[in-house]
Amino acid sequence: KYCINENNYFILSDKALKIFEKVFILNENTKSSSCHNHHAEMLRLSGKTEKAIQYFKKAIELSPKGGYYYNMIGSAYEDLALYNEAITSYNKALELDTKRDRTYWQMASIHLEMNEFDKAIEVCEKVLTINSEDAWTYMILSMAYIGKGNMDKAIELIETAHSKKTDRLGQFN
């Protein structure tokens, strides 16, 4: 059983988490980084982020070249407002996979949260060198320009975002 709490987390019952652990035989000897990652994500979605970080770390230990795992632990750190740790994890993820646009967005979002608008713009501009058709990047850029007080540029970027086709969350076209 699960429900969504006020923070939009899936809440899985402790019984469901224990069943997951039994199915994947999760313990200190489990050698599957994927199992540790999936368990961590279930914990994170249940709002048990500190515990999730332990499992993300184990996934990274087992697969140190898995950029995805660094991205996931970065998200957990971001949930806890541990922005420096999140940025360090995102940088490591990008070191291993420079084409992962979601990681750039997450990093840009942290810079927005910290009112570091120029850094957010710099990160978004890197994404546009990878994919200039990505509507979400233009939206994040618009938020950075709003933060800088440049409404004309923000409106231009919003219009550009709306002109792009996207399948991400159905947020535009």
Side-chain angles (χ1 to χ4, degrees):
K1 293 184 173 185
Y2 66 89
C3 65
I4 306 264
N5 72 7
E6 66 277 359
N7 296 318
N8 292 321
Y9 285 115
F10 270 119
I11 303 300
L12 298 171
S13 69
D14 286 336
K15 183 178 179 182
L17 287 170
K18 284 180 185 175
I19 290 169
F20 181 86
E21 289 172 358
K22 283 181 184 177
V23 168
F24 287 102
I25 314 169
L26 278 173
N27 59 46
E28 288 301 312
N29 299 319
T30 301
K31 299 293 183 208
S32 169
S33 57
S34 181
C35 284
H36 285 285
N37 180 68
H38 289 306
H39 188 220
E41 189 58 12
M42 287 180 71
L43 289 165
R44 181 176 163 250
L45 291 172
S46 295
K48 298 175 182 176
T49 307
E50 283 113 0
K51 188 171 182 183
I53 287 172
Q54 296 170 4
Y55 285 93
F56 285 130
K57 286 180 178 179
K58 185 68 174 177
I60 289 168
E61 177 186 320
L62 293 168
S63 260
K65 294 190 188 281
Y68 177 75
Y69 302 135
Y70 287 97
N71 188 76
M72 296 306 294
I73 198 170
S75 295
Y77 286 133
E78 190 174 350
D79 290 348
L80 297 174
L82 298 171
Y83 298 132
N84 291 329
E85 291 88 340
I87 287 173
T88 298
S89 296
Y90 293 149
N91 279 326
K92 183 65 177 178
L94 291 170
E95 190 179 300
L96 296 167
D97 181 3
T98 59
K99 304 270 188 224
R100 191 166 175 76
D101 55 2
R102 178 180 175 189
T103 305
Y104 286 106
W105 301 334
Q106 290 169 294
M107 197 178 314
S109 295
I110 290 173
H111 290 305
L112 287 175
E113 184 71 28
M114 297 172 69
N115 294 323
E116 296 173 343
F117 305 117
D118 290 328
K119 287 182 180 179
I121 291 167
E122 181 182 325
V123 170
C124 287
E125 287 174 350
K126 286 180 188 174
V127 177
L128 293 176
T129 65
I130 298 166
N131 180 2
S132 64
E133 294 300 307
D134 187 74
W136 190 241
T137 303
Y138 290 102
M139 292 302 292
I140 295 172
L141 263 173
S142 73
M143 291 182 257
Y145 279 101
I146 288 169
K148 288 181 62 121
N150 188 339
M151 296 307 286
D152 291 337
K153 183 70 174 177
I155 290 168
E156 174 190 325
L157 290 163
I158 291 168
E159 289 171 351
T160 301
H162 282 282
S163 73
K164 305 295 178 184
K165 295 212 180 262
T166 185
D167 60 354
R168 298 195 198 281
L169 307 175
Q171 69 264 44
F172 300 118
N173 297 324

